[in-house]
């Protein structure tokens, strides 16, 4: 019986200044299974995984691999124990090629100083072939998509002969199609006897691949469930500690005048002849496959990028959005897709991050209005339920989902007319998602307009009044009546 | 429970004031090593000597926090010093000296800033070019000769005292407070840290990244110009070859003072303390009579040590719980 257990975590606790991230966590990973960790943002999932991978060290407790207590002081120790990890925020050297990344730090050498590139190429080819991946060894990583790079990371793990693979939210930034290939890869690895710890906020995905599910709440293990003996509602209830009803709290609102209109927006080779409008009180969705040009179009409307031709109107008046400042001044706000790139200033405090777009207000008249700033921020944080030890904490030490909430708070503080949201609930737990939907609803209720890009169709269909569908840089259709939204029709427009 | 909380606060306190603690320990050690060290004239003298560095270090702090840097500071001190002295010879008034030095230094910094923002030159390269240009110009216009002709009012800036405190210390303190105000209480301050912390996110939040960089260089120019005038007055002449590698001493002071070379982190008070640490270190070595070549080695070792200690402490703070 006992030799069925690949790894066990016993009584692990871990504190950071001001937070107890993990509090007596226990769980067992069985050989050849997929073990899913579930929990709200900040529950401690990533922290636990970083301990297993030797990036953080537990204050108390022990880790047991193959029946032996092991000390994991750093990632090299972890690898020697057969543990590999794919991070929530991918890390790689983007200027290097596939093969260089694969053998980084463990070069095959000809002699004491020279690297045997030929052998490395051969090995890489063999590995790629074995795993059935159609890439070339000399592809530079920067030219590969996130999902391809993930596959490379898996390849790396395999080449280390890893027996335990940790994946922290691997599907939060890849397309649905890529999710499919990832899942079949995971199933294949499992059938080869690999044990996998998998973290995700997406319930449908969890229930497809899990064998066992362990639930963390506030740093404590609540329970471990067998997939076959539980259901989504039970898991959610255990996660958030209460029953959650009506995931999409959509209120039908009075739709007002047109607030935002885009005509013939074109950027050579990226998007073409984009026409759409948004009315007051309306939530307008944008569906499409990854690469359909939705993000590019919206980034342009927010001034992050330029366009060749076309007109933008706000309240029926033509406006210019040559840069972000103009967009904000005109009353446009945007929660961008790439949080690490356009969203956060990692080393600065949560407060500074939250007020970054409203500095003029808090420094009006040439002096700082500290109390106003703190009061406003505390209020929005309460609304979006940001979990942070203090307002002074650097945003990088918040959990991924909480960082996203701070970004959301930043734009809610802005009092804008139109809010563009590109994958606003990425990496956010189910409970908090609902709260965010409610906030989006409130925003619309105040007569503002919302544009929402999402790759989760249920989310779009649950929240939007209208849905535009894009394909290869063009709008190919618009679903006007929320009573008869259908996934099939959206997919039709998206691929037709 | 109670016990735990207390010790946690203590460790927080230590890590927050680690620099002050280093400074105090150093001063205690120094005063034991040499009884002259803790005398008021000696301390004031050190601070006076450090005034020029502190001003340059404050500029370096702002630039590094904004993700830039200035390798030309020393040469610009020399160039604006000699130009200012020429102007002073025509209009012998201390304010003329200040204004001309400031204008020249700002002009040089504007050139660097334009290279960085308009032509996207890396700050390292842009200001390295500026270093050569400024030094070359200083040597060219003076023919490599030192200039004299510092009048009484100008000499008073760096050589005399008011109420027992050297005048240059007053000037330095006023600018120090201005930088404290800038970093803590203005949009500009927030923007500097945001730009240095993540340029694209700063832009994505509506901050004019290029404008912030240009303004930061201009502020650095202002500080450099004032430093140049004090230097001019202290050495009693225009030195086209003077202030060699002052930019490095300035950067060392601010890095010792906790400014992060990866941008987004830095403070005026840390920089001040960093400059004191470096200044007292030099002073005690002179007082004890350490060989000047060895002094250089010791300086390197101790500065490296201070930074490592600081980094180690910060890491400990994040990786281990506050035991
Ligand atoms: N380096 C750190 N310094 C300080 N606090 C940290 C650090 N890393 C994590 N924390 C805190 O520990 C807690 C758990 O964070 P963790 O990242 O493990 O959450 P998570 O369950 O992965 O959440 P998410 O679903 O949002 O990714 C959070 O409160 C977070 O603020
Ligand atoms: Mg996480």
């Amino acid at each position: 019986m006992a030799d069925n257990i690949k790894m066990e975590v016993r009584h692990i606790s871990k504190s950071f200044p001001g937070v107890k991230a993990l509090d007596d966590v226990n769980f067992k990973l069985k050989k050849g299974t997929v073990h899913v960790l579930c929990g709200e943002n900040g529950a401690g999932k990533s922290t636990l995984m970083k301990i297993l991978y030797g990036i953080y060290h537990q204050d108390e407790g022990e880790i047991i691999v193959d029946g032996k207590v092991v000390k994991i002081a750093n990632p090299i120790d972890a690898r020697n124990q057969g543990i590999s990890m794919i991070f929530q925020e991918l890390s790689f050297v983007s200027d290097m090629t596939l093969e260089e990344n694969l053998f980084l730090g463990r070069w095959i050498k000809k002699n004491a100083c020279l690297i045997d590139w030929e052998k490395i190429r051969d090995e890489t080819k063999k590995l790629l072939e074995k795993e059935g991946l159609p890439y070339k060894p000399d592809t530079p990583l920067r030219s590969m998509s996130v999902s391809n790079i993930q596959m490379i990371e898996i390849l790396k793990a395999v080449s280390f002969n890893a027996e335990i693979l940790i994946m922290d939210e691997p599907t939060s930034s890849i397309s649905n199609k890529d999710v499919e290939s990832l899942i079949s890869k995971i199933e294949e690895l499992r059938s080869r006897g690999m044990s996998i710890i998998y973290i995700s906020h997406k319930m449908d995905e969890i229930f497809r691949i899990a064998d066992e599910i362990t639930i963390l709440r506030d740093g404590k293990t609540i329970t471990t469930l067998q997939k076959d003996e539980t259901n989504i509602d039970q898991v959610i209830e255990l996660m958030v500690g209460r029953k959650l009803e009506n995931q999409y709290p959509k209120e039908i609102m009075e739709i007002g005048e047109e607030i935002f209109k885009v005509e013939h927006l074109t950027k050579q080779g990226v998007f073409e002849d984009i026409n759409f409008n948004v009315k007051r009180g309306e939530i307008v969705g944008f569906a499409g496959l990854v690469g359909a040009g939705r993000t590019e179009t919206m980034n342009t409307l927010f001034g992050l990028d330029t366009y060749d031709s076309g007109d933008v109107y706000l309240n029926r008046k033509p406006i210019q959005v040559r840069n972000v400042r103009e967009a904000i001044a005109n009353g446009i706000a945007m929660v961008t897709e790439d949080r690490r790139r356009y969203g956060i200033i990692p080393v600065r405090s949560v407060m500074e991050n939250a007020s970054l777009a409203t500095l003029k207000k808090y420094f009006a008249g040439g002096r700082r209005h500290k109390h106003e700033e703190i009061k406003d921020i505390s209020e929005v944080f309460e609304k979006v339920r940001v979990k942070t030890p203090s307002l002074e904490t650097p945003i990088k030490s918040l959990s991924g989902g909480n960082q996203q909430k701070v970004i959301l708070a930043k734009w809610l503080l802005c009092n804008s007319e139109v809010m563009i949201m590109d994958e606003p609930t990425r990496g956010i737990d189910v409970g908090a998602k609902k709260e965010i939907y409610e906030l989006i609803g409130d925003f619309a209720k105040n007569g503002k307009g919302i544009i929402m890009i999402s790759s989760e169709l249920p989310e779009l269909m649950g929240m939007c009044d209208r849905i535009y569908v894009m394909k290869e840089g063009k709008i190919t259709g618009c679903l006007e009546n929320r009573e008869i939204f259908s996934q099939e029709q959206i997919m039709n427009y998206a691929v037709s | 429970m109670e016990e735990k909380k207390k010790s946690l606060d203590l460790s927080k306190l230590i890590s927050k004031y680690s620099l002050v603690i280093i400074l105090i320990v150093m001063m205690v050690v120094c005063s034991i090593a040499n009884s002259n060290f803790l005398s008021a004239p000696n301390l004031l003298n050190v601070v006076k000597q450090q005034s020029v560095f502190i001003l340059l270090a404050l500029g370096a702090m702002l630039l590094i926090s904004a993700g830039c840097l200035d390798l030309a500071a020393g040469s610009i001190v020399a160039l604006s010093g000699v130009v200012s002295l020429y102007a002073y010879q025509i209009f012998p008034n201390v304010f003329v000296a200040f204004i001309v030095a400031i204008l020249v230094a700002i002009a040089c910094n504007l050139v660097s800033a334009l290279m960085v923002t308009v032509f996207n030159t890396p700050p390292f390269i842009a200001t390295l070019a500026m270093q050569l240009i400024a030094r070359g110009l200083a040597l060219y216009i003076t023919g490599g000769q030192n200039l004299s002709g510092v009048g009484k009012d100008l000499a008073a800036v760096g050589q005399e005292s008011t109420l027992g405190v050297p005048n240059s210390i007053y000037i330095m303190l006023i600018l120090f407070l201005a930088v404290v105000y800038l970093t803590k209480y203005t949009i500009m301050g927030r923007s500097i840290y945001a730009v240095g912390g993540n340029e694209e996110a700063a832009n994505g939040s509506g901050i004019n990244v290029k404008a912030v960089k240009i303004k930061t260089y201009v502020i650095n120019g202002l500080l450099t110009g004032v430093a140049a005038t004090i230097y001019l007055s202290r050495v009693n002449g225009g030195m086209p070859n003077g202030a060699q590698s002052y930019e490095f001493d300035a950067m060392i002071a601010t890095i010792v003072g906790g400014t992060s070379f990866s941008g987004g982190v830095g403070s005026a008070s840390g920089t001040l303390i960093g400059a004191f640490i470096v200044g007292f270190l030099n002073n005690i070595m002179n007082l004890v009579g350490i060989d000047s070549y060895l002094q250089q080695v010791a300086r390197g070792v101790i500065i490296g040590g201070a930074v490592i200690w600081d980094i180690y402490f910060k890491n400990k703070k994040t990786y281990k719980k506050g035991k």
Side-chain angles (χ1 to χ4, degrees):
Chain A
M1 188 65 224
D3 53 359
N4 194 8
I5 306 289
K6 181 70 196 161
M7 174 163 75
E8 188 179 347
V9 162
R10 277 195 204 147
H11 308 298
I12 294 240
S13 295
K14 167 83 189 164
S15 297
F16 292 109
V19 261
K20 184 139 200 183
L22 296 173
D23 186 1
D24 193 19
V25 170
N26 295 284
F27 85 94
K28 291 180 182 141
L29 174 65
K30 290 190 185 138
K31 216 179 188 113
T33 63
V34 175
H35 196 123
V36 171
L37 276 186
C38 273
E40 291 182 291
N41 296 131
K45 305 177 297 291
S46 297
T47 304
L48 181 60
M49 294 306 106
K50 285 181 186 161
I51 288 176
L52 295 182
Y53 197 56
I55 294 175
Y56 295 154
H57 306 116
Q58 69 264 38
D59 301 333
E60 279 152 51
E62 49 195 19
I63 302 163
I64 292 149
V65 177
D66 292 326
K68 282 193 283 290
V69 177
V70 294
K71 258 195 112 76
I72 302 177
N74 52 44
I76 298 173
D77 281 2
R79 278 185 207 159
N80 292 338
Q81 296 296 336
I83 303 172
S84 264
M85 176 156 173
I86 294 173
F87 288 93
Q88 185 166 5
E89 320 278 2
L90 282 179
S91 53
F92 51 87
V93 189
S94 62
D95 277 322
M96 286 188 156
T97 62
L98 193 167
E99 57 191 0
E100 283 169 327
N101 261 281
L102 211 51
F103 285 90
L104 188 68
R106 47 174 187 137
W107 309 109
I108 302 174
K109 289 181 182 159
K110 258 187 194 146
N111 52 40
C113 354
L114 289 180
I115 293 175
D116 191 344
W117 286 113
E118 271 162 39
K119 192 131 184 244
I120 285 185
R121 169 115 354 145
D122 282 350
E123 288 291 315
T124 309
K125 272 192 189 142
K126 252 188 250 161
L127 270 168
L128 286 168
E129 214 160 284
K130 183 173 154 223
E131 299 298 320
L133 298 173
Y135 317 131
K136 288 213 177 72
D138 57 353
T139 330
L141 275 217
R142 66 162 69 257
S143 70
M144 301 181 81
S145 70
V146 176
S147 63
N148 289 347
I149 291 170
Q150 260 172 9
M151 285 294 173
I152 303 304
E153 293 281 319
I154 294 178
L155 196 66
K156 208 167 171 176
V158 170
S159 73
F160 277 122
N161 296 319
E163 291 173 353
I164 299 167
L165 181 61
I166 299 169
M167 304 175 98
D168 195 353
E169 296 194 39
T171 55
S172 66
S173 46
I174 63 179
S175 70
N176 291 341
K177 203 174 111 236
D178 295 324
V179 171
E180 290 308 313
S181 37
L182 185 70
I183 287 182
S184 48
K185 188 84 221 171
I186 291 174
E187 280 166 348
E188 186 201 321
L189 293 173
R190 168 171 59 189
S191 65
R192 278 198 242 152
M194 198 183 272
S195 314
I196 293 157
I197 305 178
Y198 189 91
I199 297 177
S200 174
H201 289 294
K202 297 184 183 168
M203 288 298 148
D204 46 341
E205 199 178 284
I206 293 174
F207 273 81
R208 277 183 63 189
I209 61 167
D211 296 303
E212 289 186 305
I213 301 172
T214 290
I215 290 157
L216 286 182
R217 194 200 307 151
D218 297 329
K220 298 189 187 68
T221 15
I222 302 301
T223 180
T224 297
L225 301 161
Q226 300 301 314
K227 198 259 304 267
D228 301 329
E229 294 163 10
T230 181
N231 57 48
I232 295 192
D233 291 335
Q234 189 191 9
V235 170
I236 293 180
E237 197 182 327
L238 287 168
M239 255 173 73
V240 298
R242 68 198 136 86
K243 263 209 155 56
L244 209 61
E245 277 149 6
N246 185 14
Q247 178 68 28
Y248 302 108
K250 172 77 183 167
E251 285 179 54
I252 301 302
M253 269 161 292
E254 204 172 307
I255 306 288
E257 301 218 316
E258 176 188 285
I259 182 169
F260 190 62
K261 185 166 78 172
V262 173
E263 276 186 341
H264 310 302
L265 195 74
T266 299
K267 179 173 177 122
Q268 199 73 42
V270 186
F271 48 81
E272 202 186 315
D273 197 24
I274 303 289
N275 297 285
F276 72 92
N277 65 8
V278 183
K279 303 190 189 76
R280 289 192 177 275
E282 206 179 26
I283 304 176
V284 172
F286 272 79
L289 304 178
V290 168
R294 297 171 298 167
T295 296
E296 289 78 358
T297 309
M298 295 310 157
N299 280 354
T300 303
L301 290 171
F302 187 56
L304 281 168
D305 221 327
T306 55
Y307 54 96
D308 298 336
S309 60
D311 301 298
V312 185
Y313 301 87
L314 193 88
N315 291 322
R316 299 185 191 281
K317 280 200 268 316
I319 57 164
Q320 294 263 13
V321 278
R322 283 168 301 200
N323 53 49
V324 179
R325 273 159 288 135
E326 278 184 338
I328 294 178
N330 278 311
I332 305 173
M334 177 164 176
V335 178
T336 48
E337 179 186 24
D338 194 336
R339 176 175 63 229
R340 279 224 295 184
R341 182 157 169 207
Y342 295 117
I344 62 167
I345 318 276
V347 289
R348 302 309 298 181
S349 70
V350 206
M351 175 158 82
E352 284 187 30
N353 270 281
S355 55
L356 204 55
T358 21
L359 287 177
K360 285 211 177 76
K361 183 173 171 203
Y362 302 121
F363 289 89
R367 47 188 206 91
R368 180 170 176 210
H369 307 281
K370 191 173 171 188
H371 296 291
E372 208 182 327
E373 187 179 7
I374 292 177
K375 191 175 131 267
D376 284 4
I377 291 178
S378 309
E379 265 174 37
V380 242
F381 276 15
E382 191 112 334
K383 268 204 252 168
V384 262
R385 304 226 302 173
V386 174
K387 198 179 151 196
T388 173
S390 77
L391 291 183
E392 302 303 327
T393 310
I395 195 169
K396 67 174 175 188
S397 62
L398 258 54
S399 79
N402 279 302
Q403 293 179 3
Q404 180 74 356
K405 291 185 191 173
V406 173
I407 301 300
L408 211 60
K410 166 167 85 180
W411 295 113
L412 286 173
L413 279 171
C414 254
N415 249 328
S416 47
E417 290 275 279
V418 180
M419 172 107 78
I420 305 172
M421 306 181 122
D422 196 349
E423 307 283 359
T425 60
R426 163 168 299 169
I428 286 192
D429 68 63
V430 271
K433 256 186 196 167
K434 186 176 165 191
E435 282 149 20
I436 285 173
Y437 296 143
E438 277 166 3
L439 283 169
I440 296 177
D442 282 350
F443 194 78
K445 205 154 55 179
N446 291 333
K448 312 286 177 76
I450 287 188
I451 299 169
M452 183 160 137
I453 299 182
S454 173
S455 47
E456 286 182 55
L457 289 185
E459 173 174 292
L460 282 182
M461 299 200 305
M463 290 304 297
C464 296
D465 298 287
R466 276 186 300 141
I467 299 176
Y468 288 95
V469 187
M470 283 184 73
K471 186 200 158 204
E472 289 168 6
K474 293 194 190 94
I475 292 183
T476 47
C478 178
L479 288 75
E480 301 273 356
N481 186 348
R482 64 170 277 114
E483 303 298 321
I484 52 167
F485 279 167
S486 84
Q487 212 145 343
E488 288 73 46
Q489 201 176 359
I490 293 177
M491 286 321 283
N492 263 340
Y493 286 134
V495 296
S496 68
Chain B
M1 192 65 213
E2 192 74 326
E3 185 78 341
K4 202 169 181 183
K5 201 160 169 246
K6 247 190 203 157
S7 67
L8 221 147
D9 283 347
L10 189 68
S11 102
K12 243 192 203 162
L13 226 64
I14 292 180
S15 74
K16 191 168 172 196
Y17 294 107
S18 61
L19 278 170
V20 182
I21 295 169
I22 297 182
L23 183 62
I24 292 171
V25 169
M26 227 178 84
M27 291 180 74
V28 171
V29 173
C30 292
S31 56
I32 294 168
N34 189 302
S35 53
N36 269 340
F37 178 79
L38 226 45
S39 68
N42 183 49
L43 289 184
L44 280 177
N45 190 34
V46 175
V47 179
K48 183 175 112 184
Q49 279 172 1
Q50 284 300 98
S51 301
V52 170
F53 287 114
I54 291 171
L55 293 177
L56 297 180
L58 288 170
M61 184 274 290
L62 294 172
L63 282 172
I64 294 173
S65 295
C68 300
L69 69 113
D70 181 18
L71 292 178
S75 321
I76 295 177
V77 165
L79 176 65
S80 30
V82 296
V83 175
S84 159
L85 194 51
Y86 277 126
Y88 179 83
Q89 285 164 354
I90 304 169
F91 308 100
N93 179 311
V94 62
F95 293 105
V96 172
F98 267 110
I99 289 169
V100 172
I102 290 170
L103 287 180
V104 172
I106 288 180
C108 293
N109 273 276
L110 265 179
V111 174
S112 300
L114 291 182
M115 281 197 269
V116 170
T117 53
V118 179
F119 300 106
N120 286 322
T121 322
F124 189 95
I125 308 291
T127 60
L128 194 59
M130 195 64 231
Q131 184 189 71
L132 295 173
I133 295 170
R135 181 69 67 189
L137 278 176
L139 288 166
Y140 177 74
I141 57 180
T142 55
Q145 303 298 311
N146 290 345
L147 297 180
S148 57
V150 172
K152 216 166 170 224
D153 58 345
L154 182 52
V157 171
Q159 299 176 20
E160 278 168 38
S161 302
T162 309
L163 302 173
V165 178
N167 293 337
S168 55
I169 295 186
Y170 289 110
I171 299 174
M172 181 274 285
L173 279 179
I174 291 170
L175 287 170
F176 166 74
L177 291 176
V179 174
V180 170
Y181 183 81
L182 175 85
T183 50
K184 290 211 158 134
Y185 299 102
T186 65
I187 297 190
M188 181 64 190
R190 283 279 175 97
S191 309
I192 286 176
Y193 294 124
V195 168
N198 181 354
E199 206 172 308
E200 281 182 299
N203 175 46
S205 302
I207 285 173
N208 190 339
V209 172
K210 289 195 168 158
V212 168
K213 286 187 179 173
I214 294 175
K215 282 189 212 161
T216 312
Y217 271 106
V218 168
I219 295 167
N220 180 57
L222 176 90
L223 292 164
T224 311
V226 175
T229 319
I230 296 176
Y231 179 76
L232 168 70
S233 161
R234 213 183 66 209
V235 299
N236 213 5
M239 308 276 179
N241 259 319
Q244 296 274 6
S245 72
Y246 272 29
E247 59 274 358
F248 288 112
D249 294 295
M251 278 192 261
I252 288 167
T254 190
I255 298 290
V256 168
T259 303
S260 156
F261 237 115
S262 11
V265 182
S267 75
S269 44
T271 302
L272 188 69
I273 295 172
F276 284 160
I277 290 178
V278 177
F280 287 136
L281 192 67
N282 293 343
N283 178 243
I284 190 66
M285 290 194 294
N286 279 330
L287 288 183
V288 192
I290 294 178
D291 177 88
S292 72
Y293 296 139
L294 259 187
Q295 277 192 23
Q296 196 149 326
V297 176
R299 217 175 293 154
V301 169
I302 293 176
I303 285 160
V307 176
I308 290 169
W309 196 73
D310 200 43
I311 291 173
Y312 172 76
F313 217 95
K314 276 182 194 150
N315 279 353
K316 208 169 144 187
K317 203 169 59 179
T318 36
Y319 288 135
K320 295 241 167 72
K321 82 165 180 184
K323 266 186 191 156

